Every structure is written in C-alpha cells, then in structure tokens.
Short mmCIF file of all heavy atoms in Angstrom, two decimals:
data_model
loop_
_atom_site.label_atom_id
_atom_site.label_comp_id
_atom_site.label_asym_id
_atom_site.label_seq_id
_atom_site.Cartn_x
_atom_site.Cartn_y
_atom_site.Cartn_z
N MET T 23 -1.79 -19.07 -14.53
CA MET T 23 -1.87 -17.91 -13.74
C MET T 23 -3.25 -17.31 -13.93
O MET T 23 -3.78 -17.20 -15.04
CB MET T 23 -0.80 -16.91 -14.20
CG MET T 23 -0.85 -15.63 -13.41
SD MET T 23 0.34 -14.33 -13.81
CE MET T 23 1.52 -15.00 -14.85
N LYS T 24 -3.89 -16.96 -12.83
CA LYS T 24 -5.21 -16.35 -12.86
C LYS T 24 -5.17 -14.84 -12.75
O LYS T 24 -6.05 -14.15 -13.24
CB LYS T 24 -6.06 -16.92 -11.69
CG LYS T 24 -6.38 -18.37 -11.86
CD LYS T 24 -7.27 -18.77 -10.71
CE LYS T 24 -7.66 -20.23 -10.84
NZ LYS T 24 -8.56 -20.66 -9.78
N ALA T 25 -4.15 -14.32 -12.10
CA ALA T 25 -4.06 -12.87 -11.93
C ALA T 25 -2.62 -12.45 -11.69
O ALA T 25 -1.86 -13.24 -11.16
CB ALA T 25 -4.93 -12.42 -10.77
N LEU T 26 -2.33 -11.22 -12.06
CA LEU T 26 -1.03 -10.61 -11.76
C LEU T 26 -1.35 -9.33 -11.03
O LEU T 26 -2.04 -8.45 -11.57
CB LEU T 26 -0.26 -10.33 -13.04
CG LEU T 26 1.05 -9.59 -12.83
CD1 LEU T 26 2.04 -10.45 -12.04
CD2 LEU T 26 1.65 -9.24 -14.22
N ILE T 27 -0.87 -9.21 -9.81
CA ILE T 27 -1.15 -8.04 -8.98
C ILE T 27 0.13 -7.24 -8.84
O ILE T 27 1.18 -7.80 -8.44
CB ILE T 27 -1.68 -8.42 -7.59
CG1 ILE T 27 -2.86 -9.39 -7.68
CG2 ILE T 27 -2.00 -7.18 -6.76
CD1 ILE T 27 -4.06 -8.84 -8.39
N THR T 28 0.10 -6.01 -9.16
CA THR T 28 1.28 -5.14 -8.94
C THR T 28 0.80 -4.02 -8.03
O THR T 28 -0.38 -3.75 -7.85
CB THR T 28 1.83 -4.56 -10.26
OG1 THR T 28 0.85 -3.77 -10.88
CG2 THR T 28 2.29 -5.68 -11.19
N TRP T 29 1.76 -3.32 -7.45
CA TRP T 29 1.41 -2.26 -6.54
C TRP T 29 1.51 -0.92 -7.25
O TRP T 29 2.20 -0.74 -8.25
CB TRP T 29 2.32 -2.28 -5.32
CG TRP T 29 3.79 -2.11 -5.63
CD1 TRP T 29 4.47 -0.93 -5.67
CD2 TRP T 29 4.71 -3.12 -5.94
NE1 TRP T 29 5.77 -1.12 -5.98
CE2 TRP T 29 5.97 -2.48 -6.15
CE3 TRP T 29 4.66 -4.49 -6.01
CZ2 TRP T 29 7.11 -3.17 -6.51
CZ3 TRP T 29 5.79 -5.18 -6.35
CH2 TRP T 29 7.02 -4.54 -6.58
N THR T 30 0.80 0.05 -6.68
CA THR T 30 0.80 1.41 -7.24
C THR T 30 1.84 2.26 -6.51
O THR T 30 2.50 3.06 -7.15
CB THR T 30 -0.61 2.05 -7.02
OG1 THR T 30 -1.60 1.14 -7.48
CG2 THR T 30 -0.75 3.34 -7.79
N HIS T 31 1.96 2.09 -5.19
CA HIS T 31 2.91 2.88 -4.38
C HIS T 31 3.60 2.01 -3.38
O HIS T 31 2.96 1.20 -2.76
CB HIS T 31 2.16 4.03 -3.68
CG HIS T 31 1.42 4.92 -4.57
ND1 HIS T 31 1.99 5.86 -5.37
CD2 HIS T 31 0.08 5.05 -4.79
CE1 HIS T 31 1.09 6.49 -6.06
NE2 HIS T 31 -0.10 6.04 -5.73
N ASP T 32 4.91 2.20 -3.24
CA ASP T 32 5.70 1.55 -2.20
C ASP T 32 6.02 2.58 -1.16
O ASP T 32 6.73 3.56 -1.43
CB ASP T 32 6.96 0.97 -2.82
CG ASP T 32 7.83 0.20 -1.85
OD1 ASP T 32 7.54 0.20 -0.62
OD2 ASP T 32 8.80 -0.42 -2.26
N PHE T 33 5.50 2.39 0.04
CA PHE T 33 5.71 3.38 1.10
C PHE T 33 6.97 3.02 1.98
O PHE T 33 7.23 3.66 2.95
CB PHE T 33 4.48 3.39 2.03
CG PHE T 33 3.42 4.34 1.56
CD1 PHE T 33 2.58 3.97 0.55
CD2 PHE T 33 3.28 5.60 2.10
CE1 PHE T 33 1.58 4.83 0.10
CE2 PHE T 33 2.30 6.48 1.68
CZ PHE T 33 1.44 6.09 0.65
N THR T 34 7.69 1.98 1.59
CA THR T 34 8.82 1.55 2.40
C THR T 34 9.96 2.58 2.34
O THR T 34 10.30 3.05 1.27
CB THR T 34 9.35 0.19 1.91
OG1 THR T 34 8.27 -0.72 1.94
CG2 THR T 34 10.47 -0.33 2.83
N THR T 35 10.54 2.89 3.47
CA THR T 35 11.66 3.77 3.57
C THR T 35 12.92 2.95 3.42
O THR T 35 13.21 2.09 4.24
CB THR T 35 11.64 4.51 4.95
OG1 THR T 35 10.41 5.24 5.01
CG2 THR T 35 12.82 5.46 5.05
N TRP T 36 13.70 3.19 2.39
CA TRP T 36 14.95 2.50 2.15
C TRP T 36 16.12 3.46 2.30
O TRP T 36 17.01 3.49 1.48
CB TRP T 36 14.99 1.87 0.76
CG TRP T 36 13.94 0.87 0.51
CD1 TRP T 36 12.83 0.99 -0.27
CD2 TRP T 36 13.87 -0.47 1.00
NE1 TRP T 36 12.07 -0.12 -0.27
CE2 TRP T 36 12.69 -1.05 0.51
CE3 TRP T 36 14.64 -1.21 1.87
CZ2 TRP T 36 12.28 -2.36 0.81
CZ3 TRP T 36 14.27 -2.50 2.18
CH2 TRP T 36 13.11 -3.06 1.65
N GLY T 37 16.12 4.30 3.27
CA GLY T 37 17.15 5.32 3.46
C GLY T 37 16.41 6.61 3.82
O GLY T 37 15.90 6.69 4.94
N GLU T 38 16.35 7.52 2.88
CA GLU T 38 15.57 8.74 3.13
C GLU T 38 14.09 8.42 2.92
O GLU T 38 13.72 7.60 2.12
CB GLU T 38 15.94 9.82 2.10
CG GLU T 38 17.29 10.48 2.40
CD GLU T 38 17.50 11.70 1.50
OE1 GLU T 38 16.54 12.36 1.13
OE2 GLU T 38 18.66 11.91 1.14
N THR T 39 13.25 9.10 3.73
CA THR T 39 11.80 8.89 3.60
C THR T 39 11.35 9.40 2.25
O THR T 39 11.60 10.56 1.91
CB THR T 39 11.04 9.64 4.72
OG1 THR T 39 11.53 9.16 5.99
CG2 THR T 39 9.58 9.38 4.65
N PRO T 40 10.73 8.52 1.45
CA PRO T 40 10.27 8.97 0.12
C PRO T 40 9.09 9.95 0.22
O PRO T 40 8.42 9.95 1.24
CB PRO T 40 9.87 7.67 -0.57
CG PRO T 40 9.52 6.74 0.54
CD PRO T 40 10.39 7.12 1.71
N PRO T 41 8.85 10.72 -0.83
CA PRO T 41 7.68 11.59 -0.84
C PRO T 41 6.38 10.77 -0.67
O PRO T 41 6.33 9.67 -1.17
CB PRO T 41 7.71 12.27 -2.19
CG PRO T 41 9.10 12.00 -2.75
CD PRO T 41 9.61 10.79 -2.05
N THR T 42 5.43 11.29 0.05
CA THR T 42 4.19 10.63 0.22
C THR T 42 3.26 10.90 -0.99
O THR T 42 2.99 12.05 -1.25
CB THR T 42 3.51 11.05 1.50
OG1 THR T 42 4.36 10.74 2.60
CG2 THR T 42 2.17 10.33 1.72
N PRO T 43 2.88 9.89 -1.70
CA PRO T 43 2.03 10.08 -2.88
C PRO T 43 0.60 10.41 -2.49
O PRO T 43 0.16 10.16 -1.37
CB PRO T 43 2.11 8.79 -3.63
CG PRO T 43 2.34 7.76 -2.57
CD PRO T 43 3.18 8.47 -1.54
N ARG T 44 -0.16 10.96 -3.41
CA ARG T 44 -1.56 11.21 -3.23
C ARG T 44 -2.31 9.98 -3.70
O ARG T 44 -2.19 9.60 -4.87
CB ARG T 44 -2.02 12.44 -4.00
CG ARG T 44 -3.45 12.72 -3.79
CD ARG T 44 -3.88 13.96 -4.53
NE ARG T 44 -5.32 14.08 -4.32
CZ ARG T 44 -5.95 15.19 -4.36
NH1 ARG T 44 -5.30 16.34 -4.58
NH2 ARG T 44 -7.26 15.23 -4.20
N LEU T 45 -2.98 9.29 -2.79
CA LEU T 45 -3.64 8.04 -3.12
C LEU T 45 -4.96 8.28 -3.83
O LEU T 45 -5.64 9.30 -3.57
CB LEU T 45 -3.87 7.20 -1.86
CG LEU T 45 -2.59 6.76 -1.15
CD1 LEU T 45 -2.96 5.95 0.10
CD2 LEU T 45 -1.68 5.91 -2.01
N GLN T 46 -5.35 7.33 -4.65
CA GLN T 46 -6.62 7.34 -5.35
C GLN T 46 -7.33 6.00 -5.15
O GLN T 46 -6.64 4.98 -4.88
CB GLN T 46 -6.37 7.60 -6.88
CG GLN T 46 -5.72 8.92 -7.14
CD GLN T 46 -5.49 9.10 -8.62
OE1 GLN T 46 -6.23 8.63 -9.46
NE2 GLN T 46 -4.46 9.86 -8.96
N PRO T 47 -8.63 5.96 -5.31
CA PRO T 47 -9.36 4.68 -5.19
C PRO T 47 -8.74 3.63 -6.13
O PRO T 47 -8.44 3.92 -7.29
CB PRO T 47 -10.79 5.04 -5.59
CG PRO T 47 -10.90 6.50 -5.32
CD PRO T 47 -9.56 7.08 -5.62
N GLY T 48 -8.55 2.45 -5.59
CA GLY T 48 -7.99 1.34 -6.35
C GLY T 48 -6.48 1.22 -6.27
O GLY T 48 -5.92 0.20 -6.74
N ASP T 49 -5.81 2.18 -5.72
CA ASP T 49 -4.36 2.07 -5.55
C ASP T 49 -4.02 0.90 -4.62
O ASP T 49 -4.74 0.60 -3.68
CB ASP T 49 -3.73 3.34 -4.95
CG ASP T 49 -3.60 4.45 -5.95
OD1 ASP T 49 -3.78 4.22 -7.18
OD2 ASP T 49 -3.30 5.57 -5.54
N ILE T 50 -2.93 0.26 -4.94
CA ILE T 50 -2.44 -0.86 -4.09
C ILE T 50 -1.13 -0.41 -3.48
O ILE T 50 -0.21 0.01 -4.19
CB ILE T 50 -2.24 -2.15 -4.91
CG1 ILE T 50 -3.59 -2.61 -5.46
CG2 ILE T 50 -1.59 -3.23 -4.06
CD1 ILE T 50 -3.53 -3.79 -6.39
N VAL T 51 -1.08 -0.44 -2.16
CA VAL T 51 0.08 0.03 -1.41
C VAL T 51 0.92 -1.17 -0.97
O VAL T 51 0.43 -2.14 -0.46
CB VAL T 51 -0.38 0.85 -0.15
CG1 VAL T 51 0.75 1.16 0.75
CG2 VAL T 51 -1.08 2.09 -0.63
N LEU T 52 2.22 -1.06 -1.16
CA LEU T 52 3.18 -2.07 -0.77
C LEU T 52 3.95 -1.58 0.46
O LEU T 52 4.41 -0.44 0.47
CB LEU T 52 4.14 -2.38 -1.91
CG LEU T 52 5.29 -3.31 -1.64
CD1 LEU T 52 4.75 -4.73 -1.42
CD2 LEU T 52 6.29 -3.29 -2.79
N LEU T 53 4.10 -2.45 1.41
CA LEU T 53 4.93 -2.18 2.60
C LEU T 53 5.85 -3.42 2.82
O LEU T 53 5.42 -4.53 2.45
CB LEU T 53 4.08 -1.99 3.86
CG LEU T 53 3.24 -0.73 3.86
CD1 LEU T 53 2.21 -0.79 4.98
CD2 LEU T 53 4.12 0.50 4.01
N HIS T 54 7.02 -3.21 3.33
CA HIS T 54 7.92 -4.29 3.64
C HIS T 54 8.16 -4.39 5.16
O HIS T 54 8.07 -3.39 5.84
CB HIS T 54 9.27 -4.08 2.94
CG HIS T 54 9.20 -4.17 1.44
ND1 HIS T 54 9.35 -5.33 0.74
CD2 HIS T 54 9.01 -3.19 0.52
CE1 HIS T 54 9.24 -5.09 -0.51
NE2 HIS T 54 9.02 -3.82 -0.67
N PHE T 55 8.44 -5.56 5.62
CA PHE T 55 8.75 -5.74 7.05
C PHE T 55 10.20 -5.32 7.31
O PHE T 55 11.11 -6.12 7.30
CB PHE T 55 8.52 -7.21 7.46
CG PHE T 55 7.08 -7.58 7.54
CD1 PHE T 55 6.48 -8.22 6.48
CD2 PHE T 55 6.33 -7.22 8.63
CE1 PHE T 55 5.14 -8.53 6.53
CE2 PHE T 55 4.96 -7.54 8.69
CZ PHE T 55 4.39 -8.22 7.61
N THR T 56 10.35 -4.04 7.54
CA THR T 56 11.68 -3.45 7.82
C THR T 56 11.60 -2.74 9.16
O THR T 56 10.52 -2.65 9.75
CB THR T 56 12.08 -2.42 6.74
OG1 THR T 56 11.18 -1.32 6.77
CG2 THR T 56 12.10 -3.06 5.32
N ARG T 57 12.67 -2.17 9.57
CA ARG T 57 12.68 -1.45 10.87
C ARG T 57 11.83 -0.21 10.81
O ARG T 57 11.47 0.36 11.83
CB ARG T 57 14.12 -1.11 11.28
CG ARG T 57 14.87 -0.21 10.35
CD ARG T 57 16.28 0.11 10.83
NE ARG T 57 16.98 0.92 9.87
CZ ARG T 57 16.74 2.21 9.68
NH1 ARG T 57 15.85 2.85 10.36
NH2 ARG T 57 17.46 2.89 8.74
N THR T 58 11.49 0.27 9.60
CA THR T 58 10.67 1.48 9.46
C THR T 58 9.20 1.17 9.20
O THR T 58 8.42 2.06 8.88
CB THR T 58 11.20 2.35 8.27
OG1 THR T 58 11.11 1.61 7.07
CG2 THR T 58 12.65 2.75 8.53
N LEU T 59 8.80 -0.09 9.37
CA LEU T 59 7.44 -0.51 9.04
C LEU T 59 6.39 0.33 9.75
O LEU T 59 5.41 0.79 9.14
CB LEU T 59 7.22 -1.99 9.35
CG LEU T 59 5.79 -2.49 9.08
CD1 LEU T 59 5.40 -2.31 7.64
CD2 LEU T 59 5.65 -3.96 9.51
N ALA T 60 6.52 0.55 11.05
CA ALA T 60 5.53 1.30 11.81
C ALA T 60 5.36 2.74 11.26
O ALA T 60 4.21 3.20 11.02
CB ALA T 60 5.89 1.37 13.28
N ALA T 61 6.45 3.40 11.00
CA ALA T 61 6.38 4.76 10.43
C ALA T 61 5.83 4.76 9.00
O ALA T 61 5.07 5.62 8.61
CB ALA T 61 7.75 5.42 10.49
N ASP T 62 6.24 3.75 8.21
CA ASP T 62 5.76 3.68 6.83
C ASP T 62 4.28 3.36 6.80
O ASP T 62 3.56 3.98 5.99
CB ASP T 62 6.52 2.55 6.10
CG ASP T 62 8.00 2.85 5.94
OD1 ASP T 62 8.42 3.99 6.03
OD2 ASP T 62 8.76 1.85 5.79
N LEU T 63 3.80 2.51 7.67
CA LEU T 63 2.36 2.24 7.76
C LEU T 63 1.58 3.49 8.18
O LEU T 63 0.54 3.79 7.63
CB LEU T 63 2.11 1.06 8.75
CG LEU T 63 0.65 0.74 8.99
CD1 LEU T 63 -0.07 0.37 7.68
CD2 LEU T 63 0.53 -0.37 10.02
N ARG T 64 2.14 4.22 9.13
CA ARG T 64 1.47 5.47 9.57
C ARG T 64 1.38 6.46 8.40
O ARG T 64 0.31 7.06 8.17
CB ARG T 64 2.24 6.08 10.73
CG ARG T 64 1.77 7.45 11.21
CD ARG T 64 0.33 7.52 11.70
NE ARG T 64 -0.10 6.39 12.47
CZ ARG T 64 -1.34 5.91 12.44
NH1 ARG T 64 -2.27 6.46 11.65
NH2 ARG T 64 -1.67 4.87 13.16
N ARG T 65 2.46 6.59 7.59
CA ARG T 65 2.37 7.48 6.44
C ARG T 65 1.34 7.01 5.45
O ARG T 65 0.58 7.82 4.87
CB ARG T 65 3.76 7.55 5.73
CG ARG T 65 4.75 8.40 6.41
CD ARG T 65 6.03 8.66 5.60
NE ARG T 65 6.55 7.50 4.93
CZ ARG T 65 6.57 7.33 3.61
NH1 ARG T 65 6.06 8.21 2.81
NH2 ARG T 65 7.10 6.26 3.05
N ALA T 66 1.25 5.67 5.21
CA ALA T 66 0.26 5.17 4.29
C ALA T 66 -1.13 5.41 4.78
O ALA T 66 -2.05 5.82 4.01
CB ALA T 66 0.50 3.64 4.07
N LEU T 67 -1.38 5.16 6.05
CA LEU T 67 -2.73 5.38 6.61
C LEU T 67 -3.11 6.87 6.62
O LEU T 67 -4.25 7.24 6.34
CB LEU T 67 -2.78 4.83 8.04
CG LEU T 67 -2.72 3.32 8.13
CD1 LEU T 67 -2.63 2.86 9.59
CD2 LEU T 67 -3.89 2.63 7.43
N ASP T 68 -2.13 7.72 6.91
CA ASP T 68 -2.37 9.17 6.87
C ASP T 68 -2.71 9.60 5.42
O ASP T 68 -3.59 10.44 5.21
CB ASP T 68 -1.19 9.94 7.38
CG ASP T 68 -0.98 9.82 8.88
OD1 ASP T 68 -1.92 9.37 9.61
OD2 ASP T 68 0.11 10.20 9.37
N ALA T 69 -1.99 9.03 4.43
CA ALA T 69 -2.26 9.37 3.04
C ALA T 69 -3.67 8.91 2.65
O ALA T 69 -4.37 9.63 1.92
CB ALA T 69 -1.20 8.77 2.11
N ALA T 70 -4.09 7.71 3.09
CA ALA T 70 -5.41 7.24 2.81
C ALA T 70 -6.46 8.15 3.42
O ALA T 70 -7.45 8.54 2.79
CB ALA T 70 -5.56 5.80 3.32
N ARG T 71 -6.23 8.49 4.65
CA ARG T 71 -7.19 9.40 5.35
C ARG T 71 -7.29 10.76 4.63
O ARG T 71 -8.38 11.27 4.43
CB ARG T 71 -6.80 9.56 6.81
CG ARG T 71 -7.79 10.32 7.65
CD ARG T 71 -7.48 10.39 9.15
NE ARG T 71 -6.13 10.02 9.59
CZ ARG T 71 -5.74 8.80 9.97
NH1 ARG T 71 -6.60 7.82 10.02
NH2 ARG T 71 -4.48 8.59 10.36
N ALA T 72 -6.15 11.29 4.24
CA ALA T 72 -6.14 12.59 3.55
C ALA T 72 -6.88 12.52 2.21
O ALA T 72 -7.47 13.52 1.78
CB ALA T 72 -4.69 13.02 3.31
N ALA T 73 -6.89 11.35 1.58
CA ALA T 73 -7.59 11.17 0.34
C ALA T 73 -9.06 10.74 0.50
O ALA T 73 -9.78 10.54 -0.48
CB ALA T 73 -6.85 10.17 -0.54
N GLY T 74 -9.45 10.60 1.76
CA GLY T 74 -10.82 10.16 2.05
C GLY T 74 -11.05 8.70 1.75
O GLY T 74 -12.19 8.28 1.45
N LEU T 75 -10.00 7.91 1.82
CA LEU T 75 -10.06 6.48 1.49
C LEU T 75 -10.02 5.65 2.76
O LEU T 75 -9.45 6.03 3.77
CB LEU T 75 -8.92 6.08 0.56
CG LEU T 75 -8.88 6.86 -0.75
CD1 LEU T 75 -7.61 6.48 -1.52
CD2 LEU T 75 -10.12 6.55 -1.58
N LYS T 76 -10.57 4.43 2.66
CA LYS T 76 -10.53 3.45 3.73
C LYS T 76 -9.72 2.25 3.25
O LYS T 76 -10.14 1.62 2.27
CB LYS T 76 -11.93 3.03 4.16
CG LYS T 76 -11.96 2.03 5.24
CD LYS T 76 -13.38 1.61 5.55
CE LYS T 76 -13.41 0.48 6.56
NZ LYS T 76 -14.74 -0.08 6.74
N PRO T 77 -8.62 1.95 3.92
CA PRO T 77 -7.82 0.80 3.46
C PRO T 77 -8.63 -0.52 3.55
O PRO T 77 -9.47 -0.65 4.42
CB PRO T 77 -6.65 0.74 4.45
CG PRO T 77 -6.57 2.13 4.99
CD PRO T 77 -8.00 2.64 5.02
N ALA T 78 -8.33 -1.41 2.62
CA ALA T 78 -9.02 -2.71 2.57
C ALA T 78 -8.02 -3.79 2.18
O ALA T 78 -7.09 -3.51 1.42
CB ALA T 78 -10.18 -2.65 1.62
N ALA T 79 -8.23 -4.98 2.67
CA ALA T 79 -7.39 -6.10 2.27
C ALA T 79 -7.67 -6.48 0.83
O ALA T 79 -8.83 -6.39 0.35
CB ALA T 79 -7.64 -7.29 3.22
N LEU T 80 -6.68 -6.94 0.14
CA LEU T 80 -6.82 -7.30 -1.27
C LEU T 80 -7.50 -8.65 -1.49
O LEU T 80 -8.31 -8.85 -2.39
CB LEU T 80 -5.43 -7.26 -1.94
CG LEU T 80 -5.35 -7.58 -3.43
CD1 LEU T 80 -6.20 -6.55 -4.21
CD2 LEU T 80 -3.90 -7.55 -3.87
N MET T 81 -7.18 -9.62 -0.64
CA MET T 81 -7.64 -11.00 -0.86
C MET T 81 -9.17 -11.10 -0.93
O MET T 81 -9.66 -11.81 -1.82
CB MET T 81 -7.14 -11.94 0.25
CG MET T 81 -5.67 -12.19 0.19
SD MET T 81 -5.29 -12.94 -1.43
CE MET T 81 -3.67 -13.52 -1.08
N PRO T 82 -9.96 -10.46 -0.08
CA PRO T 82 -11.43 -10.59 -0.22
C PRO T 82 -11.92 -10.10 -1.59
O PRO T 82 -12.84 -10.69 -2.15
CB PRO T 82 -11.97 -9.73 0.89
CG PRO T 82 -10.92 -9.70 1.94
CD PRO T 82 -9.62 -9.73 1.14
N HIS T 83 -11.30 -9.09 -2.12
CA HIS T 83 -11.70 -8.56 -3.46
C HIS T 83 -11.35 -9.57 -4.54
O HIS T 83 -12.11 -9.78 -5.50
CB HIS T 83 -11.02 -7.23 -3.75
CG HIS T 83 -11.50 -6.14 -2.81
ND1 HIS T 83 -12.71 -5.50 -2.94
CD2 HIS T 83 -10.91 -5.61 -1.70
CE1 HIS T 83 -12.88 -4.63 -1.98
NE2 HIS T 83 -11.79 -4.67 -1.22
N LEU T 84 -10.21 -10.23 -4.43
CA LEU T 84 -9.83 -11.25 -5.40
C LEU T 84 -10.78 -12.49 -5.31
O LEU T 84 -11.16 -12.98 -6.35
CB LEU T 84 -8.38 -11.68 -5.18
CG LEU T 84 -7.32 -10.62 -5.42
CD1 LEU T 84 -5.95 -11.16 -5.05
CD2 LEU T 84 -7.37 -10.11 -6.84
N LYS T 85 -11.12 -12.85 -4.11
CA LYS T 85 -12.05 -13.98 -3.96
C LYS T 85 -13.42 -13.64 -4.54
O LYS T 85 -14.03 -14.45 -5.24
CB LYS T 85 -12.16 -14.36 -2.47
CG LYS T 85 -10.95 -15.07 -1.96
CD LYS T 85 -11.08 -15.43 -0.50
CE LYS T 85 -9.81 -16.07 0.03
NZ LYS T 85 -9.86 -16.38 1.44
N ALA T 86 -13.90 -12.42 -4.26
CA ALA T 86 -15.20 -11.97 -4.79
C ALA T 86 -15.21 -11.96 -6.32
O ALA T 86 -16.25 -12.20 -6.95
CB ALA T 86 -15.59 -10.63 -4.22
N ALA T 87 -14.07 -11.70 -6.90
CA ALA T 87 -13.95 -11.63 -8.36
C ALA T 87 -13.75 -13.03 -8.97
O ALA T 87 -13.65 -13.17 -10.18
CB ALA T 87 -12.81 -10.71 -8.78
N GLY T 88 -13.63 -14.04 -8.09
CA GLY T 88 -13.44 -15.38 -8.57
C GLY T 88 -12.02 -15.75 -8.99
O GLY T 88 -11.76 -16.73 -9.63
N VAL T 89 -11.08 -14.89 -8.60
CA VAL T 89 -9.68 -15.14 -8.96
C VAL T 89 -9.05 -16.16 -8.05
O VAL T 89 -8.21 -16.96 -8.48
CB VAL T 89 -8.89 -13.78 -8.92
CG1 VAL T 89 -7.42 -14.02 -9.19
CG2 VAL T 89 -9.47 -12.79 -9.89
N LEU T 90 -9.46 -16.20 -6.83
CA LEU T 90 -8.91 -17.17 -5.88
C LEU T 90 -9.88 -18.24 -5.54
O LEU T 90 -11.07 -18.06 -5.55
CB LEU T 90 -8.46 -16.45 -4.57
CG LEU T 90 -7.36 -15.48 -4.71
CD1 LEU T 90 -7.03 -14.84 -3.36
CD2 LEU T 90 -6.11 -16.14 -5.26
#
C-alpha cells in the first residue's frame, strides 16, 4: 500500500439533510451516487465557496506526490 486516503466530510444525505460543515483547506469531501447527489454536490460547492476554497480533484495531487 502506498497511501490511505480518508475523507474529512461526507455530504451525502441518508435521510435528513446533515448539517453543512465549515470546510478548511485540505479537507476531503465524500459524495455518493444517490438520488440526492445533485443537492449534496450543491451543498458541498456552496460550503467550499463560503470558505473561499476551490474544489480540486484528488488524483493529480497524489500523482504529483509520487503516490500513483
């Protein structure tokens, strides 16, 4: 194993909409392909915008670090 990646926040709605966390640089957001994906993604993007963050894909960062 070269790396173990875990998430910081899961934005998936599994019933009631969970509280929206305050995101920080380096947080990893998890989303699931459920019927609420569009709304969950919107909440995650809104939280990133509110924190002044720009979402980025994880894979390029892992490749740059030589993990992949």
Side-chain angles (χ1 to χ4, degrees):
M23 179 179 351
K24 292 184 179 182
L26 174 65
I27 308 299
T28 61
W29 62 91
T30 312
H31 302 287
D32 182 352
F33 275 78
T34 305
T35 301
W36 298 107
E38 286 188 33
T39 303
T42 301
R44 182 177 175 153
L45 297 180
Q46 298 180 30
D49 281 351
I50 297 175
V51 171
L52 175 67
L53 293 167
H54 293 272
F55 288 98
T56 65
R57 61 179 178 74
T58 62
L59 178 60
D62 297 337
L63 177 58
R64 175 58 39 215
R65 282 190 318 110
L67 292 173
D68 289 346
R71 186 173 17 265
L75 302 173
K76 179 181 174 188
L80 183 58
M81 289 301 194
H83 295 282
L84 295 176
K85 287 180 183 177
V89 176
L90 295 179

